[in-house]
Structure formats: C-alpha cells, structure tokens
Amino acid sequence: MKILVTGGAGFIGSHTSVELLKAGYEIVIVDNYSNSSPDVIDKIKKITGKDFKNYELDVCDKDSLEKVFEENQIDGVIHFAGFKAVGESSKNPVMYYRNNIDSTLTLLEVMKQHNCKKFVFSSSACVYGNTSDGKCCEDSPLAPTNPYGETKLVSEFILKDLYKSDNSWGIVILRYFNPIGAHESGLIGENPKDIPNNLMPYIVRVASKEYDMLHIFGNDYKTIDGTGVRDYIHVVDLSIGHIKALEKLNKENGLFTYNLGTGHGVSVLELVNTFSKVNNVEVKYEFTARRLGDVDINYADVTKAYNELGFKATKTIEDMCRDSYNYVLKNKSN
Ligand code: UFG
C-alpha cells in the first residue's frame, strides 16, 4: 500500500513515516517545510534504509497536489500538515482557519477525484472542553478554547459530513494528547523554528543552556504539586497508533475517532524532575503566572483505542525524557 503523508518532515509526520516504512508500507511525503527542514527526509531514509518520493509543496495548492496523485498510485492519506501553535492561533485566527481548513478540503477534493478514500486525520485533545476531572473520553463534550482547536473540530465535522454522504470512505480521526520524545537514533525529533510554546522543547533548551530558565506557568492548580497535569505520550508510540488506524481501515470502512495518550497524567514538576534525574542535568525553573486558557488536568481515556485498535502506549516518562534530550545533544554536536 502506498500512503501519502502530508507534513511528513514534521515532528509526528517524520516519526510516523519511519514506522510506516518499517511496517512495509510505501510512502510519498509532501511538506512545505514551514516548520520543518528538508534534511529530515534524508534522516528518515537513513533510519529505515528505504527510499521514497517527496515533494515540496503546500497542501492548499490544488494543482501541485493533483500532480502528486497523477504521478503516484496513492491508496491512503495521513494528514499531518497544519499550523499548531495555540497562542499564535489566537493572534491570527484567519491564518489558522485558512491554512488548516483549506488544506483538508483541498486534500479531500483531490482524493475524491482519484477515488482514494482512506484518510487518517491528525486531530488534538484541544477539541475537548474542560471536563470535571480532566479525563477525556471520545464522547466528552467538544468545546475548544482557542482557534487552533476550532480548526481541528471544524475539520472533524467536515469528515463526519463527508462520511455521511458516502459511506465507502474509511476515516480515522486521532486525537493526540501531548506527544514528546524522539526516535532512539537521535536523528529525528522536535525542533521548532521559533521559541517553543510547548513544555518539553523548552525544557531541553534550558538543559542544553540555550535558555536560562524554564517558566512554570502556575503552581496553584488543584493537582498533586500545584503544577498542570498532562498526558505525555512518546512520539514513537503515537506513530504506531497511525499504523493501527490504517490496519483498521484495511479491514472496514467507517468513521472512527480515538484518543491517543497513555491514560496517565504527569505534572510539570514531575516531568522536570524526571528529566533532570534521567539525564543527570540541571533544569533551572521559576514559577510564574498561569498561562491563559490552561486547565488543571487533562488526560486521555484510552479504553476505546485499546479495545478497537489494540493500541497501548508502552514507553515510559523516563524513555520520553531520555530520547528528547538525546536528540538535542546529537544535533548540537553535528
Ligand atoms: N508549561 C509551562 N511552561 C512552558 C510551557 C508549558 O509551565 O514554558 C506547562 C503548561 O502550563 C501546561 C504544561 O506545561 O501545564 C503542558 O503545556 P504544553 O504547552 O506543552 O501543552 P498543552 O497541554 O498546553 O497543549 C498541548 C498542545 C496542543 C494540544 C494539547 C492537547 O500544544 O496542540 O496539548 O491537550 F492540543
């Protein structure tokens, strides 16, 4: 089977591309490198020892995308490409709606023209509203608190309507919790172009002395130690979730929605302390005000993904901390 991976040079896209190749799929990557780098393509080839085609293009550019479908017999698509910075989305919502919705619509139109009807969509735990105890299951209320989350939810609505109109589609919506970690080779990982918004990329830059200090946003939450609790999942586990989603679509058509997380919450302080211990490195921090829009606790109910996909995250917080830092150290010395 040949899978088109949009955003395949990005953090989750690159790791999923590796797992796809390892599992025997052929892939084609499209990416415009807006938040990634072309040398990731060579690194995926180096890790797997396999070759594949890649195109530099914007998924909103229909003509270029059509060319990809004309030149390759694409059997299914995993759609990662999209803007993903929560804060930026509040400052520039139109840009977020334009890019994230347009890319999904363009892709679905071109897929339909080529009778390609297997689609795995990168959604986010951001689509959930605040739940009373922080645990989210797939039918928890949907109420994003920022435009980024809204673009994911609107895309989910589009996919639901598409399936209602034509049940020969097979669609899996994957709602990611907090992916961190990196491939054990240290060749690929998370490397945001700007100042990181997310916790782990910030921690590694403090540990490697690029930044002086981590600012922990709030220590008065109703949690084990007052800092925010999230469900961190190793990016390789998350990538394997995509292989399971494709396996599901190879068995049956339908529209399916799954959380991908570990089912366990970890606080900011627990993550920082584990990182320091595992890597034997100091991470200086100070407590600052709460960040707007943050909740106390957010973690996944993973029952449905386990029961229906056989998906279970296996890597520990220690693995995530070790692999995140290994990637940074390897890429500093290169
Ligand atoms: N945090 C800090 N300091 C930082 C960055 C983060 O203390 O410099 C804290 C946050 O307050 C939060 C925790 O670390 O308590 C995790 O924050 P992240 O920004 O890493 O992750 P979020 O949970 O806010 O959001 C992430 C993704 C979203 C996704 C969401 C799903 O950024 O895209 O998880 O829950 F939708």
Side-chain angles (χ1 to χ4, degrees):
M1 259 188 100
K2 192 173 273 185
I3 305 297
L4 177 69
V5 185
T6 77
F11 176 44
I12 307 173
S14 59
H15 288 83
T16 302
S17 295
V18 167
E19 296 307 317
L20 284 165
L21 291 165
K22 268 174 65 183
Y25 289 92
E26 288 183 71
I27 64 168
V28 174
I29 286 182
V30 299
D31 203 303
N32 66 357
Y33 308 117
S34 68
N35 192 30
S36 61
S37 147
D39 46 275
V40 170
I41 301 293
D42 290 332
K43 292 182 175 164
I44 297 169
K45 292 180 183 174
K46 194 169 170 192
I47 292 169
T48 59
K50 296 199 173 156
D51 201 8
F52 55 86
K53 271 204 217 171
N54 67 289
Y55 295 79
E56 180 171 355
L57 63 81
D58 187 327
V59 183
C60 301
D61 174 357
K62 197 170 183 185
D63 291 343
S64 302
L65 201 56
E66 265 169 359
K67 204 164 154 255
V68 175
F69 276 79
E70 275 154 24
E71 291 178 4
N72 303 277
Q73 176 60 48
I74 304 289
D75 301 300
V77 175
I78 307 183
H79 180 34
F80 294 103
F83 294 153
K84 61 168 190 173
V86 171
E88 184 185 49
S89 78
S90 297
K91 287 187 197 120
N92 206 341
V94 174
M95 183 176 97
Y96 267 67
Y97 279 98
R98 164 62 74 195
N99 185 63
N100 289 2
I101 306 299
D102 203 356
S103 58
T104 304
L105 289 173
T106 306
L107 197 48
L108 293 172
E109 278 171 1
V110 176
M111 286 177 71
K112 194 175 168 196
Q113 278 162 26
H114 289 81
N115 202 31
C116 171
K117 293 185 173 180
K118 288 188 201 307
F119 191 72
V120 179
F121 180 64
S122 284
S123 189
S124 165
C126 238
V127 297
Y128 294 116
N130 296 338
T131 57
S132 54
D133 60 356
K135 184 171 181 170
C136 302
C137 61
E138 286 80 354
D139 53 11
S140 292
L142 301 173
T145 54
N146 55 68
Y148 161 70
E150 295 285 4
T151 68
K152 291 294 175 188
L153 189 54
V154 172
S155 300
E156 290 195 9
F157 290 151
I158 292 168
L159 292 170
K160 280 177 191 152
D161 283 336
L162 173 63
Y163 180 71
K164 255 192 247 164
S165 75
D166 176 359
N167 64 12
S168 65
W169 280 80
I171 299 169
V172 176
I173 293 168
L174 297 175
R175 294 182 181 149
Y176 311 149
F177 280 69
N178 291 55
I180 58 171
H183 191 264
E184 60 182 5
S185 64
L187 286 171
I188 54 174
E190 187 170 20
N191 193 8
K193 282 194 170 163
D194 299 322
I195 297 173
N197 299 289
N198 297 117
L199 182 58
M200 183 54 94
Y202 210 101
I203 291 177
V204 295
R205 289 187 190 186
V206 175
S208 61
K209 309 266 182 288
E210 195 178 325
Y211 299 155
D212 292 341
M213 184 89 82
L214 169 71
H215 307 284
I216 297 185
F217 302 140
N219 61 346
D220 57 353
Y221 284 108
K222 283 191 228 93
T223 61
I224 176 173
D225 54 25
T227 64
V229 166
R230 297 290 182 274
D231 187 340
Y232 298 96
I233 175 169
H234 197 293
V235 64
V236 171
D237 276 333
L238 190 83
S239 299
I240 291 167
H242 296 74
I243 310 295
K244 302 275 186 193
L246 283 177
E247 284 169 6
K248 175 91 178 163
L249 295 184
N250 286 337
K251 280 190 252 153
E252 57 185 312
N253 295 332
L255 183 134
F256 311 97
T257 304
Y258 302 107
N259 286 339
L260 291 184
T262 64
H264 302 291
V266 170
S267 76
V268 176
L269 269 182
E270 285 174 325
L271 189 67
V272 170
N273 290 335
T274 308
F275 187 96
S276 293
K277 198 166 153 208
V278 168
N279 295 310
N280 196 20
V281 64
E282 190 189 7
V283 179
K284 284 192 186 157
Y285 62 82
E286 63 179 4
F287 295 113
T288 59
R290 289 182 176 201
R291 185 172 65 179
L292 203 67
D294 274 352
V295 296
D296 301 55
I297 303 180
N298 183 255
Y299 68 102
D301 184 323
V302 293
T303 318
K304 192 177 173 204
Y306 182 69
N307 287 345
E308 295 186 19
L309 297 180
F311 173 77
K312 193 173 191 302
T314 59
K315 291 187 184 272
T316 63
I317 280 287
E318 283 79 8
D319 296 330
M320 301 179 211
C321 290
R322 189 197 56 232
D323 292 341
S324 290
Y325 198 42
N326 177 45
Y327 168 68
V328 169
L329 293 182
K330 276 233 162 136
N331 289 280
K332 263 188 120 181
S333 55
N334 278 350

PDB file of all heavy atoms in Angstrom, residues 232-244:
ATOM      1  N   TYR A 232       1.437  12.922  28.676  1.00  0.00           N
ATOM      2  CA  TYR A 232       2.545  12.924  27.713  1.00  0.00           C
ATOM      3  C   TYR A 232       2.685  11.534  27.111  1.00  0.00           C
ATOM      4  O   TYR A 232       2.687  10.538  27.826  1.00  0.00           O
ATOM      5  CB  TYR A 232       3.853  13.349  28.405  1.00  0.00           C
ATOM      6  CG  TYR A 232       3.750  14.757  28.951  1.00  0.00           C
ATOM      7  CD1 TYR A 232       3.411  14.984  30.284  1.00  0.00           C
ATOM      8  CD2 TYR A 232       3.928  15.861  28.121  1.00  0.00           C
ATOM      9  CE1 TYR A 232       3.264  16.272  30.772  1.00  0.00           C
ATOM     10  CE2 TYR A 232       3.780  17.154  28.611  1.00  0.00           C
ATOM     11  CZ  TYR A 232       3.451  17.348  29.935  1.00  0.00           C
ATOM     12  OH  TYR A 232       3.300  18.630  30.410  1.00  0.00           O
ATOM     13  N   ILE A 233       2.812  11.497  25.780  1.00  0.00           N
ATOM     14  CA  ILE A 233       2.943  10.208  25.089  1.00  0.00           C
ATOM     15  C   ILE A 233       4.178  10.260  24.182  1.00  0.00           C
ATOM     16  O   ILE A 233       4.418  11.280  23.513  1.00  0.00           O
ATOM     17  CB  ILE A 233       1.649   9.856  24.297  1.00  0.00           C
ATOM     18  CG1 ILE A 233       1.842   8.567  23.484  1.00  0.00           C
ATOM     19  CG2 ILE A 233       1.165  10.999  23.424  1.00  0.00           C
ATOM     20  CD1 ILE A 233       0.555   8.004  22.879  1.00  0.00           C
ATOM     21  N   HIS A 234       4.944   9.173  24.193  1.00  0.00           N
ATOM     22  CA  HIS A 234       6.146   9.126  23.346  1.00  0.00           C
ATOM     23  C   HIS A 234       5.728   9.165  21.871  1.00  0.00           C
ATOM     24  O   HIS A 234       4.829   8.442  21.458  1.00  0.00           O
ATOM     25  CB  HIS A 234       6.935   7.846  23.644  1.00  0.00           C
ATOM     26  CG  HIS A 234       8.346   7.882  23.143  1.00  0.00           C
ATOM     27  ND1 HIS A 234       8.663   7.912  21.797  1.00  0.00           N
ATOM     28  CD2 HIS A 234       9.528   7.935  23.800  1.00  0.00           C
ATOM     29  CE1 HIS A 234       9.977   7.951  21.659  1.00  0.00           C
ATOM     30  NE2 HIS A 234      10.535   7.973  22.856  1.00  0.00           N
ATOM     31  N   VAL A 235       6.437   9.979  21.106  1.00  0.00           N
ATOM     32  CA  VAL A 235       6.047  10.176  19.698  1.00  0.00           C
ATOM     33  C   VAL A 235       6.116   8.873  18.888  1.00  0.00           C
ATOM     34  O   VAL A 235       5.359   8.699  17.924  1.00  0.00           O
ATOM     35  CB  VAL A 235       6.897  11.315  19.063  1.00  0.00           C
ATOM     36  CG1 VAL A 235       8.372  10.946  19.007  1.00  0.00           C
ATOM     37  CG2 VAL A 235       6.375  11.724  17.696  1.00  0.00           C
ATOM     38  N   VAL A 236       6.979   7.946  19.304  1.00  0.00           N
ATOM     39  CA  VAL A 236       7.036   6.662  18.566  1.00  0.00           C
ATOM     40  C   VAL A 236       5.791   5.828  18.871  1.00  0.00           C
ATOM     41  O   VAL A 236       5.210   5.214  17.969  1.00  0.00           O
ATOM     42  CB  VAL A 236       8.357   5.907  18.867  1.00  0.00           C
ATOM     43  CG1 VAL A 236       8.319   4.501  18.275  1.00  0.00           C
ATOM     44  CG2 VAL A 236       9.552   6.686  18.321  1.00  0.00           C
ATOM     45  N   ASP A 237       5.347   5.833  20.129  1.00  0.00           N
ATOM     46  CA  ASP A 237       4.070   5.171  20.449  1.00  0.00           C
ATOM     47  C   ASP A 237       2.934   5.796  19.634  1.00  0.00           C
ATOM     48  O   ASP A 237       2.116   5.100  19.033  1.00  0.00           O
ATOM     49  CB  ASP A 237       3.733   5.322  21.940  1.00  0.00           C
ATOM     50  CG  ASP A 237       4.417   4.261  22.809  1.00  0.00           C
ATOM     51  OD1 ASP A 237       4.694   3.169  22.296  1.00  0.00           O
ATOM     52  OD2 ASP A 237       4.661   4.539  23.991  1.00  0.00           O
ATOM     53  N   LEU A 238       2.918   7.120  19.627  1.00  0.00           N
ATOM     54  CA  LEU A 238       1.862   7.839  18.894  1.00  0.00           C
ATOM     55  C   LEU A 238       1.877   7.444  17.408  1.00  0.00           C
ATOM     56  O   LEU A 238       0.827   7.215  16.791  1.00  0.00           O
ATOM     57  CB  LEU A 238       2.089   9.353  19.025  1.00  0.00           C
ATOM     58  CG  LEU A 238       0.964  10.233  18.518  1.00  0.00           C
ATOM     59  CD1 LEU A 238      -0.108  10.379  19.584  1.00  0.00           C
ATOM     60  CD2 LEU A 238       1.483  11.621  18.154  1.00  0.00           C
ATOM     61  N   SER A 239       3.077   7.329  16.855  1.00  0.00           N
ATOM     62  CA  SER A 239       3.219   6.966  15.430  1.00  0.00           C
ATOM     63  C   SER A 239       2.647   5.582  15.172  1.00  0.00           C
ATOM     64  O   SER A 239       1.995   5.349  14.140  1.00  0.00           O
ATOM     65  CB  SER A 239       4.696   6.974  15.034  1.00  0.00           C
ATOM     66  OG  SER A 239       5.208   8.264  15.220  1.00  0.00           O
ATOM     67  N   ILE A 240       2.897   4.676  16.114  1.00  0.00           N
ATOM     68  CA  ILE A 240       2.382   3.304  15.944  1.00  0.00           C
ATOM     69  C   ILE A 240       0.850   3.321  15.953  1.00  0.00           C
ATOM     70  O   ILE A 240       0.210   2.522  15.256  1.00  0.00           O
ATOM     71  CB  ILE A 240       2.987   2.380  17.029  1.00  0.00           C
ATOM     72  CG1 ILE A 240       4.484   2.212  16.720  1.00  0.00           C
ATOM     73  CG2 ILE A 240       2.282   1.033  17.101  1.00  0.00           C
ATOM     74  CD1 ILE A 240       5.313   1.604  17.829  1.00  0.00           C
ATOM     75  N   GLY A 241       0.264   4.271  16.667  1.00  0.00           N
ATOM     76  CA  GLY A 241      -1.193   4.444  16.638  1.00  0.00           C
ATOM     77  C   GLY A 241      -1.720   4.660  15.215  1.00  0.00           C
ATOM     78  O   GLY A 241      -2.818   4.216  14.867  1.00  0.00           O
ATOM     79  N   HIS A 242      -0.911   5.323  14.379  1.00  0.00           N
ATOM     80  CA  HIS A 242      -1.326   5.558  12.986  1.00  0.00           C
ATOM     81  C   HIS A 242      -1.303   4.272  12.158  1.00  0.00           C
ATOM     82  O   HIS A 242      -2.116   4.087  11.260  1.00  0.00           O
ATOM     83  CB  HIS A 242      -0.430   6.606  12.329  1.00  0.00           C
ATOM     84  CG  HIS A 242      -0.556   7.950  12.971  1.00  0.00           C
ATOM     85  ND1 HIS A 242      -0.014   8.227  14.203  1.00  0.00           N
ATOM     86  CD2 HIS A 242      -1.191   9.082  12.577  1.00  0.00           C
ATOM     87  CE1 HIS A 242      -0.297   9.475  14.535  1.00  0.00           C
ATOM     88  NE2 HIS A 242      -1.020  10.011  13.575  1.00  0.00           N
ATOM     89  N   ILE A 243      -0.363   3.399  12.473  1.00  0.00           N
ATOM     90  CA  ILE A 243      -0.300   2.108  11.770  1.00  0.00           C
ATOM     91  C   ILE A 243      -1.551   1.299  12.142  1.00  0.00           C
ATOM     92  O   ILE A 243      -2.192   0.676  11.289  1.00  0.00           O
ATOM     93  CB  ILE A 243       0.980   1.316  12.177  1.00  0.00           C
ATOM     94  CG1 ILE A 243       2.236   2.179  12.062  1.00  0.00           C
ATOM     95  CG2 ILE A 243       1.086   0.015  11.388  1.00  0.00           C
ATOM     96  CD1 ILE A 243       2.617   2.620  10.692  1.00  0.00           C
ATOM     97  N   LYS A 244      -1.902   1.351  13.422  1.00  0.00           N
ATOM     98  CA  LYS A 244      -3.112   0.635  13.887  1.00  0.00           C
ATOM     99  C   LYS A 244      -4.360   1.207  13.195  1.00  0.00           C
ATOM    100  O   LYS A 244      -5.282   0.461  12.864  1.00  0.00           O
ATOM    101  CB  LYS A 244      -3.280   0.786  15.406  1.00  0.00           C
ATOM    102  CG  LYS A 244      -2.110   0.284  16.203  1.00  0.00           C
ATOM    103  CD  LYS A 244      -2.238  -1.196  16.440  1.00  0.00           C
ATOM    104  CE  LYS A 244      -1.151  -1.716  17.358  1.00  0.00           C
ATOM    105  NZ  LYS A 244      -1.096  -3.180  17.351  1.00  0.00           N
TER     106      LYS A 244
END
